[in-house]
Amino acid sequence: MAIYIAREATKLWRKVCAETSVELQLLFEKWHLLLAGIVFQYIHGLAARGVHYLHRPGPILQDMGFMALPELGQDKGYLSETVFTSIFLSFLLWSFHPFVYHSKRFYTVLLWRRVLAFLVASQFLRIITFYSTQLPGPNYHCREGSKLATLPPPKNVREVLLINFPRGVLFGCGDLIFSSHMIFTLVFVRTYHKYGSKRLIKLFAWLMAIIQSLLIIASRKHYTVDVVVAWYTVNLVVFFVDKNLPEMLDRTSGLALLPVSAKDKSDRMKEELHKPEKDNKIKDEHHKLLNGNTVDSTDRRQWMPMNGKHGEDMNHTLSDAAPNGT
């Protein structure tokens, strides 16, 4: 038993090392776009921190979702965060599963490149909308009487740039339309819906997205309009951005590694160009074999089926057929 476990552990380690080597090659080529997407996450947090300085508490706006859903209360606000964290961590682990499992439908680097593109486009639109009009926040720490509802003027630039992570993110105000939690949730769910393989998990992921939406409204972290706008905006953004990005190769087709250099790409293109010619040649040779011809094109002799007769019978037949006097 111990020998079997050790053997399987060795196979797993080799698999992880091989996959890491492949992904690192892709990372060395695509790191510019990945770094830009990660940097924009900080810019988005900085913008949310900046709008908090502009936020002014006021009466909570009339909201149909607040009327329909009972208020969870300040002590149960963790429920929506718990669901969001589970969605985030589940997607993160799934995106790295090609390092371990055989069913490899995508490359992790290329997948996160697409995910960051979706996030950046959605967050860019979000920054524009919540800076256009500042609404009084419905969250408990954003209401009138709370010390966190309005931030005092910053004493220096460093105070703004550090964005007081993670407290500044958890207790922000003013960045309402549209919900950042729903951006991440919908991007992750749509990505798994396209590249995931388990239909039941896909249905469960969409159910979790709906539950997340309801919990955000019930915990009064966002107005209903923030969630509704996120649903159609993020889905439209993902649709149009994904349509204009080059499609990822499906790894189930048997390709071991994407071409990451100009030489590899050139070789791959040459191989694809000569593929029809090679296939036709193979078909011709196969056709000759089926018809009883030799594969060698210089050998024009026809192979005569013997139909179960002995070689002596064939020799007698050939001698009888020869002309007299020879």
Side-chain angles (χ1 to χ4, degrees), residues 21-80:
S21 177
V22 172
E23 294 287 353
L24 284 176
Q25 293 183 54
L26 290 172
L27 182 61
F28 289 151
E29 183 181 354
K30 309 294 184 182
W31 69 270
H32 307 82
L33 297 174
L34 289 169
L35 180 61
I38 295 173
V39 170
F40 194 85
Q41 300 308 302
Y42 169 75
I43 295 175
H44 173 257
L46 191 63
R49 174 72 171 178
V51 79
H52 196 167
Y53 290 103
L54 304 176
H55 177 258
R56 295 294 179 268
I60 299 176
L61 304 179
Q62 185 174 356
D63 190 283
M64 295 298 294
F66 291 176
M67 299 178 185
L69 295 174
E71 188 171 352
L72 289 178
Q74 193 170 1
D75 58 332
K76 295 182 180 179
Y78 67 90
L79 292 176
S80 64

Side-chain angles (χ1 to χ4, degrees), residues 197-213:
S197 57
K198 305 297 182 181
R199 186 165 180 253
L200 184 62
I201 298 180
K202 292 179 182 181
L203 296 175
F204 180 73
W206 284 112
L207 177 62
M208 292 297 290
I210 295 174
I211 294 175
Q212 172 73 22
S213 303

Side-chain angles (χ1 to χ4, degrees), residues 116-127:
L116 287 172
F118 302 150
L119 292 176
V120 168
S122 301
Q123 290 167 340
F124 179 76
L125 295 176
R126 180 174 187 261
I127 292 173

Side-chain angles (χ1 to χ4, degrees), residues 215-232:
L215 288 175
I216 288 176
I217 298 172
S219 60
R220 305 301 188 253
K221 293 184 177 180
H222 278 277
Y223 291 108
T224 305
V225 66
D226 305 338
V227 176
V228 172
V229 171
W231 267 91
Y232 63 73

Side-chain angles (χ1 to χ4, degrees), residues 162-181:
L162 291 179
I163 66 175
N164 192 21
F165 185 84
R167 184 177 176 83
V169 176
L170 296 176
F171 295 96
C173 298
D175 56 328
L176 293 174
I177 300 178
F178 42 96
S179 171
S180 179
H181 282 56

